[in-house]
Amino acid sequence: MGQSVPLDPQTLLAAYAQGLFPMDDRNGNILWYTADPRGVIPLDEFHIPHTLRALVKKSPHEGGFEIRFNHDFEATMRGCREKRAEGTWISEPIVAAYVRLHQMGFAHSVESWKDGKLAGGLYGVSLGGAFFGESMFHRVRDASKVALVHLVQRLRKQGYDLLDTQATTAHLGRFGCIEIPAEDYLKKLKSALRKNCTFT
């Protein structure tokens, strides 16, 4: 169930701390939602599909991707928006709001580049020891999957406890994404927010 609220940075961060996330209802109204059950990827149980392992290890010179963090956050968001051009929930106000969060150090992108072009990636919000994954896209096969692998590696390295995916999909299930009751999610979120992790 959605509730209309403003998109200023303070409201955004306060809402994330309560387990809420925004979507445009495609009529220009920004609504906040929660999910029960909630999709999460347990960081200590993250699974890299066998077919992807070799690609992740390849350098750009070997046919792999160049991974960049926060190199072009807005372009990454717009890539996600273009991928969902039909009825997208990533409206211009949402793009503007997350660019502001990025400038403040709370929103981040993980980008896969190939031949000097953005091939895919993902973005999300970092708060305490929680990372809230928002969306991902690819223009080159497996580009977003490789970005996800590097995201998890970064979160593990920096001591994060929670990777929130909001919902589960067959695609995310291949990486170990599971559903947990909202009550359990909120307990994990509360614990994660006590940490002071740095994404970059």
Side-chain angles (χ1 to χ4, degrees):
M1 187 173 182
Q3 181 179 4
S4 181
V5 296
L7 274 179
D8 61 274
Q10 291 72 26
T11 299
L12 276 164
L13 295 175
Y16 272 105
Q18 298 174 59
L20 302 173
F21 52 90
M23 296 179 72
D24 192 300
D25 69 356
R26 301 169 190 172
N27 292 316
N29 302 308
I30 306 298
L31 304 178
W32 284 87
Y33 296 87
T34 187
D36 188 6
R38 189 81 168 215
V40 298
I41 295 180
L43 293 172
D44 57 352
E45 298 176 17
F46 182 71
H47 171 71
I48 304 176
H50 179 73
T51 55
L52 193 63
R53 288 181 180 273
L55 179 59
V56 171
K57 295 178 180 178
K58 286 184 178 180
S59 71
H61 300 295
E62 298 170 323
F65 295 98
E66 177 189 357
I67 300 300
R68 303 179 185 178
F69 293 89
N70 294 328
H71 179 77
D72 199 334
F73 178 85
E74 183 171 347
T76 303
M77 273 204 79
R78 292 193 178 280
C80 294
R81 185 176 189 270
E82 291 164 7
K83 197 70 178 178
R84 293 159 179 79
E86 294 298 324
T88 183
W89 54 267
I90 306 174
S91 63
E92 285 298 328
I94 283 186
V95 172
Y98 281 82
V99 168
R100 287 197 298 272
L101 276 190
H102 171 65
Q103 293 167 344
M104 295 171 64
F106 291 103
H108 304 280
S109 58
V110 184
E111 308 156 15
S112 295
W113 289 72
K114 200 173 188 68
D115 300 325
K117 296 180 180 179
L118 181 60
L122 58 86
Y123 76 95
V125 173
S126 171
L127 196 59
F131 190 90
F132 308 87
E134 281 297 323
S135 189
M136 56 200 307
F137 83 103
H138 69 275
R139 294 173 180 145
V140 177
R141 182 178 177 178
D142 292 330
S144 61
K145 297 176 185 176
V146 172
L148 177 60
V149 172
H150 283 272
L151 169 66
V152 171
Q153 291 176 346
R154 173 61 60 91
L155 297 181
R156 284 174 168 174
K157 179 180 179 181
Q158 300 300 101
Y160 283 74
D161 287 343
L162 178 64
L163 174 51
D164 174 13
T165 65
Q166 299 172 1
T168 58
T169 64
H171 170 67
L172 291 175
R174 296 180 62 211
F175 294 90
C177 185
I178 61 173
E179 289 183 335
I180 61 174
E183 182 179 359
D184 293 346
Y185 167 78
L186 290 174
K187 289 178 182 177
K188 290 180 180 292
L189 175 60
K190 184 177 180 179
S191 176
L193 291 176
R194 296 193 187 104
K195 301 190 76 171
N196 185 25
C197 297
T198 303
F199 185 82
T200 53

